[in-house]
Coordinates of all heavy atoms in Angstrom, one line a residue:
A160 N -18.4 -20.9 -5.3 CA -17.6 -22.1 -4.9 C -16.4 -21.7 -4.1 O -15.5 -20.9 -4.6 CB -17.3 -23.0 -6.1
A161 N -16.2 -22.3 -3.0 CA -15.0 -22.1 -2.2 C -13.8 -22.8 -2.8 O -14.0 -23.8 -3.5 CB -15.2 -22.6 -0.8
H162 N -12.7 -22.2 -2.8 CA -11.4 -22.7 -3.2 C -11.3 -22.8 -4.7 O -10.4 -23.5 -5.2 CB -11.1 -24.1 -2.5 CG -10.9 -23.9 -1.1 ND1 -9.9 -23.3 -0.5 CD2 -11.8 -24.2 -0.1 CE1 -10.0 -23.2 0.8 NE2 -11.2 -23.8 1.1
R163 N -12.2 -22.2 -5.5 CA -12.1 -22.2 -6.9 C -11.5 -20.8 -7.3 O -12.2 -19.8 -7.1 CB -13.4 -22.4 -7.6 CG -13.4 -22.4 -9.1 CD -14.7 -22.8 -9.7 NE -14.6 -22.6 -11.1 CZ -15.0 -21.5 -11.8 NH1 -15.6 -20.5 -11.1 NH2 -14.9 -21.4 -13.1
P164 N -10.3 -20.8 -7.9 CA -9.7 -19.5 -8.2 C -10.5 -18.8 -9.4 O -10.9 -19.5 -10.3 CB -8.3 -19.8 -8.7 CG -8.1 -21.2 -8.2 CD -9.4 -21.9 -8.1
H165 N -10.7 -17.5 -9.3 CA -11.4 -16.7 -10.3 C -10.5 -15.5 -10.6 O -9.9 -14.9 -9.7 CB -12.7 -16.2 -9.8 CG -13.7 -17.2 -9.3 ND1 -14.6 -17.7 -10.2 CD2 -13.9 -17.8 -8.1 CE1 -15.4 -18.6 -9.5 NE2 -14.9 -18.6 -8.3
R166 N -10.4 -15.1 -11.8 CA -9.8 -13.8 -12.2 C -10.7 -12.8 -11.6 O -11.9 -12.9 -11.6 CB -9.7 -13.7 -13.7 CG -8.8 -14.6 -14.4 CD -7.4 -14.0 -14.5 NE -6.5 -15.0 -15.1 CZ -5.3 -15.2 -14.7 NH1 -4.8 -14.5 -13.7 NH2 -4.5 -16.1 -15.2
A167 N -10.1 -11.7 -11.1 CA -10.8 -10.6 -10.5 C -11.8 -10.0 -11.5 O -12.9 -9.7 -11.1 CB -9.9 -9.6 -10.0
A168 N -11.4 -9.9 -12.7 CA -12.3 -9.4 -13.8 C -13.6 -10.2 -13.9 O -14.6 -9.7 -14.4 CB -11.5 -9.3 -15.1
E169 N -13.5 -11.5 -13.6 CA -14.7 -12.3 -13.7 C -15.6 -12.4 -12.5 O -16.8 -12.4 -12.6 CB -14.2 -13.8 -14.1 CG -13.5 -13.9 -15.4 CD -12.8 -15.3 -15.5 OE1 -12.8 -16.1 -14.5 OE2 -12.1 -15.5 -16.5
L170 N -14.9 -12.3 -11.3 CA -15.7 -12.5 -10.1 C -16.2 -11.1 -9.6 O -17.3 -11.1 -9.0 CB -14.8 -13.1 -9.0 CG -15.5 -13.5 -7.7 CD1 -16.7 -14.4 -7.9 CD2 -14.5 -14.1 -6.7
L171 N -15.5 -10.0 -9.8 CA -16.0 -8.7 -9.3 C -17.3 -8.4 -9.8 O -18.2 -7.9 -9.0 CB -14.9 -7.6 -9.6 CG -13.8 -7.6 -8.6 CD1 -12.8 -6.5 -9.0 CD2 -14.2 -7.4 -7.2
P172 N -17.7 -8.5 -11.1 CA -19.0 -8.2 -11.5 C -20.1 -9.0 -10.8 O -21.2 -8.5 -10.5 CB -19.0 -8.5 -13.0 CG -17.6 -8.4 -13.4 CD -16.8 -8.9 -12.2
V173 N -19.8 -10.3 -10.5 CA -20.8 -11.1 -9.8 C -21.0 -10.6 -8.4 O -22.1 -10.4 -7.9 CB -20.3 -12.6 -9.7 CG1 -21.2 -13.4 -8.9 CG2 -20.2 -13.2 -11.1
L174 N -19.9 -10.2 -7.7 CA -19.9 -9.7 -6.4 C -20.6 -8.3 -6.4 O -21.5 -8.1 -5.5 CB -18.6 -9.6 -5.8 CG -17.8 -10.9 -5.6 CD1 -16.4 -10.6 -5.0 CD2 -18.5 -11.9 -4.8
T175 N -20.3 -7.5 -7.3 CA -20.9 -6.1 -7.4 C -22.4 -6.3 -7.6 O -23.2 -5.5 -7.0 CB -20.3 -5.3 -8.5 OG1 -18.9 -5.3 -8.3 CG2 -20.8 -3.9 -8.6
H176 N -22.8 -7.2 -8.5 CA -24.3 -7.4 -8.7 C -25.0 -7.8 -7.4 O -26.1 -7.4 -7.1 CB -24.5 -8.5 -9.8 CG -25.9 -8.8 -10.0 ND1 -26.8 -8.0 -10.6 CD2 -26.6 -9.9 -9.7 CE1 -28.0 -8.5 -10.7 NE2 -27.9 -9.7 -10.1
R177 N -24.3 -8.7 -6.6 CA -24.9 -9.1 -5.4 C -25.0 -8.0 -4.3 O -25.8 -8.0 -3.4 CB -24.2 -10.3 -4.8 CG -24.4 -11.6 -5.5 CD -23.7 -12.7 -4.9 NE -24.0 -13.9 -5.6 CZ -24.0 -15.1 -5.0 NH1 -23.7 -15.2 -3.7 NH2 -24.3 -16.2 -5.7
L178 N -24.0 -7.0 -4.4 CA -24.0 -5.9 -3.5 C -24.9 -4.8 -3.8 O -25.3 -4.0 -3.0 CB -22.6 -5.4 -3.4 CG -21.5 -6.3 -2.8 CD1 -20.1 -5.7 -2.9 CD2 -21.8 -6.5 -1.3
T179 N -25.4 -4.8 -5.1 CA -26.3 -3.7 -5.5 C -27.7 -4.0 -5.0 O -28.2 -5.0 -5.2 CB -26.3 -3.6 -7.0 OG1 -25.0 -3.5 -7.5 CG2 -27.2 -2.5 -7.5
P180 N -28.3 -3.0 -4.2 CA -29.6 -3.3 -3.7 C -30.6 -3.3 -4.8 O -30.5 -2.7 -5.9 CB -29.9 -2.1 -2.8 CG -28.9 -1.0 -3.2 CD -27.7 -1.7 -3.9

Side-chain angles (χ1 to χ4, degrees):
H162 298 287
R163 182 173 172 262
H165 300 269
R166 294 265 176 224
E169 297 165 0
L170 187 58
L171 280 180
V173 173
L174 299 178
T175 304
H176 176 71
R177 287 183 176 209
L178 292 171
T179 305

